[in-house]
Amino acid sequence: SAKLHAILDSAATNTPTDVLRLGHTSTGSTAVGFGALIRFDAERTGTTTDGMGRLGFVADVMNASRVDGAFIVQTGLDGSYTERMRIASDGDVGIGTNAPSAMLDVVTSASSTVWAAEINQSNTSNGDGLFVNIGSTASADYVLSCRSNSANLFDIKGDGNVGINDATPSYKLDVNGTGRFVGHVDLQSSCDVSGLLRINDKVGIQDGGWYTPTTTLDVSGTGRFTGQLTLDTGILGPAGTTMLNSSQQLINIDEIAINAAAAGTYRLYC
């Protein structure tokens, strides 16, 4: 029932065979971009037909000894055609570009205000998003690289290191710049700080488990200072009374025991 119906009966079982062949020759000197396309038309409202799109093959390599073909898809817009997708002769796929430089190369126009790509997983109970795997485990290779105006913003390297604003991360998380955590940070091992440590709230220290501080520095347990401890306003006792004032004077102390559990009947016991 089709206007054109071609069938070829052959002995081939697992290889493709030419069934329909379209050719394009020229009286001039052919170059890259020369090729053969199929045009699709449709009738507009009324009786006039108009082009909806074209697809076919054009040369992306052309010389005296060879011609390599790229598959292209063009869409029609008010009678003119614009290339939207290309599979280059080397297998690279371009969307929005006629010169793809990767296996999948997506390029938007300079005036585009929408996402260049979007992946939605509709399965809300057992659906995965995006899977990326590389064979290399070298620090020089990228699993993922997110950039802005060619500047590295977020990179995952082949060795598992992650860099934020750092294209050559040396740690599992390497941040070049400031950071913020609105929740708690659970450190299961040691924490090394080579610069300033600034905390804009209370600090609670306890050996094991979470401890909620009630003062600027709240230590549940013993403490030790191997360097100098500078106090500008003094030390408060358990009842909130001043024990060591800003003039480095001991006050409001009933007993002092040095190397002893208690002073006993003495005010000072060593």
PDB file of all heavy atoms in Angstrom, residues 105-122:
ATOM      1  N   ASP A 105      28.404  15.135  22.134  1.00  0.00           N
ATOM      2  CA  ASP A 105      28.752  16.547  22.293  1.00  0.00           C
ATOM      3  C   ASP A 105      27.484  17.367  22.117  1.00  0.00           C
ATOM      4  O   ASP A 105      26.905  17.411  21.031  1.00  0.00           O
ATOM      5  CB  ASP A 105      29.802  16.935  21.245  1.00  0.00           C
ATOM      6  CG  ASP A 105      30.518  18.233  21.585  1.00  0.00           C
ATOM      7  OD1 ASP A 105      30.033  18.953  22.476  1.00  0.00           O
ATOM      8  OD2 ASP A 105      31.555  18.511  20.954  1.00  0.00           O
ATOM      9  N   VAL A 106      27.029  18.008  23.209  1.00  0.00           N
ATOM     10  CA  VAL A 106      25.797  18.803  23.183  1.00  0.00           C
ATOM     11  C   VAL A 106      26.163  20.264  23.349  1.00  0.00           C
ATOM     12  O   VAL A 106      26.832  20.646  24.321  1.00  0.00           O
ATOM     13  CB  VAL A 106      24.829  18.368  24.297  1.00  0.00           C
ATOM     14  CG1 VAL A 106      23.554  19.208  24.243  1.00  0.00           C
ATOM     15  CG2 VAL A 106      24.496  16.884  24.169  1.00  0.00           C
ATOM     16  N   VAL A 107      25.732  21.101  22.417  1.00  0.00           N
ATOM     17  CA  VAL A 107      26.039  22.527  22.437  1.00  0.00           C
ATOM     18  C   VAL A 107      24.749  23.303  22.231  1.00  0.00           C
ATOM     19  O   VAL A 107      23.998  23.032  21.290  1.00  0.00           O
ATOM     20  CB  VAL A 107      27.061  22.904  21.339  1.00  0.00           C
ATOM     21  CG1 VAL A 107      27.344  24.404  21.372  1.00  0.00           C
ATOM     22  CG2 VAL A 107      28.350  22.114  21.504  1.00  0.00           C
ATOM     23  N   THR A 108      24.486  24.259  23.113  1.00  0.00           N
ATOM     24  CA  THR A 108      23.312  25.103  22.943  1.00  0.00           C
ATOM     25  C   THR A 108      23.710  26.392  22.229  1.00  0.00           C
ATOM     26  O   THR A 108      24.887  26.729  22.117  1.00  0.00           O
ATOM     27  CB  THR A 108      22.688  25.464  24.310  1.00  0.00           C
ATOM     28  OG1 THR A 108      23.607  26.285  25.048  1.00  0.00           O
ATOM     29  CG2 THR A 108      22.370  24.204  25.098  1.00  0.00           C
ATOM     30  N   SER A 109      22.717  27.106  21.764  1.00  0.00           N
ATOM     31  CA  SER A 109      22.991  28.397  21.137  1.00  0.00           C
ATOM     32  C   SER A 109      23.367  29.421  22.194  1.00  0.00           C
ATOM     33  O   SER A 109      23.086  29.247  23.390  1.00  0.00           O
ATOM     34  CB  SER A 109      21.762  28.872  20.357  1.00  0.00           C
ATOM     35  OG  SER A 109      20.695  29.152  21.256  1.00  0.00           O
ATOM     36  N   ALA A 110      23.999  30.514  21.763  1.00  0.00           N
ATOM     37  CA  ALA A 110      24.444  31.540  22.702  1.00  0.00           C
ATOM     38  C   ALA A 110      23.274  32.234  23.394  1.00  0.00           C
ATOM     39  O   ALA A 110      23.431  32.792  24.482  1.00  0.00           O
ATOM     40  CB  ALA A 110      25.307  32.570  21.978  1.00  0.00           C
ATOM     41  N   SER A 111      22.106  32.178  22.797  1.00  0.00           N
ATOM     42  CA  SER A 111      20.935  32.846  23.371  1.00  0.00           C
ATOM     43  C   SER A 111      20.045  31.890  24.163  1.00  0.00           C
ATOM     44  O   SER A 111      19.006  32.309  24.686  1.00  0.00           O
ATOM     45  CB  SER A 111      20.111  33.503  22.257  1.00  0.00           C
ATOM     46  OG  SER A 111      19.671  32.522  21.317  1.00  0.00           O
ATOM     47  N   SER A 112      20.438  30.634  24.274  1.00  0.00           N
ATOM     48  CA  SER A 112      19.604  29.647  24.956  1.00  0.00           C
ATOM     49  C   SER A 112      19.561  29.925  26.457  1.00  0.00           C
ATOM     50  O   SER A 112      20.575  30.249  27.075  1.00  0.00           O
ATOM     51  CB  SER A 112      20.143  28.239  24.707  1.00  0.00           C
ATOM     52  OG  SER A 112      19.405  27.287  25.438  1.00  0.00           O
ATOM     53  N   THR A 113      18.386  29.788  27.052  1.00  0.00           N
ATOM     54  CA  THR A 113      18.215  29.988  28.495  1.00  0.00           C
ATOM     55  C   THR A 113      17.717  28.724  29.189  1.00  0.00           C
ATOM     56  O   THR A 113      17.294  28.784  30.342  1.00  0.00           O
ATOM     57  CB  THR A 113      17.226  31.140  28.761  1.00  0.00           C
ATOM     58  OG1 THR A 113      15.961  30.833  28.158  1.00  0.00           O
ATOM     59  CG2 THR A 113      17.753  32.448  28.214  1.00  0.00           C
ATOM     60  N   VAL A 114      17.756  27.599  28.512  1.00  0.00           N
ATOM     61  CA  VAL A 114      17.280  26.346  29.091  1.00  0.00           C
ATOM     62  C   VAL A 114      18.479  25.448  29.387  1.00  0.00           C
ATOM     63  O   VAL A 114      19.613  25.736  29.000  1.00  0.00           O
ATOM     64  CB  VAL A 114      16.300  25.631  28.140  1.00  0.00           C
ATOM     65  CG1 VAL A 114      15.079  26.493  27.898  1.00  0.00           C
ATOM     66  CG2 VAL A 114      16.972  25.289  26.816  1.00  0.00           C
ATOM     67  N   TRP A 115      18.230  24.344  30.091  1.00  0.00           N
ATOM     68  CA  TRP A 115      19.279  23.373  30.390  1.00  0.00           C
ATOM     69  C   TRP A 115      19.837  22.790  29.099  1.00  0.00           C
ATOM     70  O   TRP A 115      19.100  22.512  28.156  1.00  0.00           O
ATOM     71  CB  TRP A 115      18.726  22.238  31.254  1.00  0.00           C
ATOM     72  CG  TRP A 115      18.251  22.654  32.620  1.00  0.00           C
ATOM     73  CD1 TRP A 115      16.959  22.869  32.989  1.00  0.00           C
ATOM     74  CD2 TRP A 115      19.050  22.914  33.769  1.00  0.00           C
ATOM     75  NE1 TRP A 115      16.894  23.239  34.303  1.00  0.00           N
ATOM     76  CE2 TRP A 115      18.173  23.271  34.815  1.00  0.00           C
ATOM     77  CE3 TRP A 115      20.417  22.868  34.028  1.00  0.00           C
ATOM     78  CZ2 TRP A 115      18.623  23.592  36.096  1.00  0.00           C
ATOM     79  CZ3 TRP A 115      20.867  23.186  35.304  1.00  0.00           C
ATOM     80  CH2 TRP A 115      19.974  23.542  36.311  1.00  0.00           C
ATOM     81  N   ALA A 116      21.153  22.603  29.064  1.00  0.00           N
ATOM     82  CA  ALA A 116      21.762  21.953  27.900  1.00  0.00           C
ATOM     83  C   ALA A 116      21.371  20.482  27.847  1.00  0.00           C
ATOM     84  O   ALA A 116      21.233  19.907  26.769  1.00  0.00           O
ATOM     85  CB  ALA A 116      23.282  22.098  27.953  1.00  0.00           C
ATOM     86  N   ALA A 117      21.187  19.865  28.991  1.00  0.00           N
ATOM     87  CA  ALA A 117      20.758  18.462  29.046  1.00  0.00           C
ATOM     88  C   ALA A 117      20.003  18.245  30.348  1.00  0.00           C
ATOM     89  O   ALA A 117      20.281  18.892  31.359  1.00  0.00           O
ATOM     90  CB  ALA A 117      21.951  17.510  28.959  1.00  0.00           C
ATOM     91  N   GLU A 118      19.059  17.336  30.321  1.00  0.00           N
ATOM     92  CA  GLU A 118      18.254  17.036  31.509  1.00  0.00           C
ATOM     93  C   GLU A 118      17.939  15.554  31.520  1.00  0.00           C
ATOM     94  O   GLU A 118      17.530  14.977  30.510  1.00  0.00           O
ATOM     95  CB  GLU A 118      16.964  17.858  31.494  1.00  0.00           C
ATOM     96  CG  GLU A 118      16.126  17.707  32.757  1.00  0.00           C
ATOM     97  CD  GLU A 118      14.919  18.629  32.777  1.00  0.00           C
ATOM     98  OE1 GLU A 118      14.940  19.641  32.045  1.00  0.00           O
ATOM     99  OE2 GLU A 118      13.947  18.331  33.508  1.00  0.00           O
ATOM    100  N   ILE A 119      18.156  14.919  32.678  1.00  0.00           N
ATOM    101  CA  ILE A 119      17.878  13.488  32.851  1.00  0.00           C
ATOM    102  C   ILE A 119      16.883  13.340  33.987  1.00  0.00           C
ATOM    103  O   ILE A 119      17.154  13.773  35.111  1.00  0.00           O
ATOM    104  CB  ILE A 119      19.164  12.703  33.149  1.00  0.00           C
ATOM    105  CG1 ILE A 119      20.162  12.841  31.990  1.00  0.00           C
ATOM    106  CG2 ILE A 119      18.851  11.226  33.408  1.00  0.00           C
ATOM    107  CD1 ILE A 119      21.500  12.196  32.260  1.00  0.00           C
ATOM    108  N   ASN A 120      15.753  12.750  33.711  1.00  0.00           N
ATOM    109  CA  ASN A 120      14.719  12.529  34.722  1.00  0.00           C
ATOM    110  C   ASN A 120      14.441  11.037  34.852  1.00  0.00           C
ATOM    111  O   ASN A 120      14.167  10.359  33.857  1.00  0.00           O
ATOM    112  CB  ASN A 120      13.418  13.253  34.340  1.00  0.00           C
ATOM    113  CG  ASN A 120      13.524  14.757  34.501  1.00  0.00           C
ATOM    114  OD1 ASN A 120      13.996  15.233  35.525  1.00  0.00           O
ATOM    115  ND2 ASN A 120      13.102  15.500  33.495  1.00  0.00           N
ATOM    116  N   GLN A 121      14.544  10.525  36.069  1.00  0.00           N
ATOM    117  CA  GLN A 121      14.190   9.144  36.359  1.00  0.00           C
ATOM    118  C   GLN A 121      12.814   9.149  37.016  1.00  0.00           C
ATOM    119  O   GLN A 121      12.641   9.687  38.101  1.00  0.00           O
ATOM    120  CB  GLN A 121      15.246   8.517  37.281  1.00  0.00           C
ATOM    121  CG  GLN A 121      14.854   7.199  37.934  1.00  0.00           C
ATOM    122  CD  GLN A 121      14.513   6.111  36.950  1.00  0.00           C
ATOM    123  OE1 GLN A 121      13.355   5.938  36.603  1.00  0.00           O
ATOM    124  NE2 GLN A 121      15.521   5.377  36.513  1.00  0.00           N
ATOM    125  N   SER A 122      11.827   8.560  36.356  1.00  0.00           N
ATOM    126  CA  SER A 122      10.445   8.624  36.833  1.00  0.00           C
ATOM    127  C   SER A 122      10.118   7.574  37.878  1.00  0.00           C
ATOM    128  O   SER A 122       9.088   7.680  38.560  1.00  0.00           O
ATOM    129  CB  SER A 122       9.481   8.486  35.647  1.00  0.00           C
ATOM    130  OG  SER A 122       9.681   9.533  34.712  1.00  0.00           O
TER     131      SER A 122
END
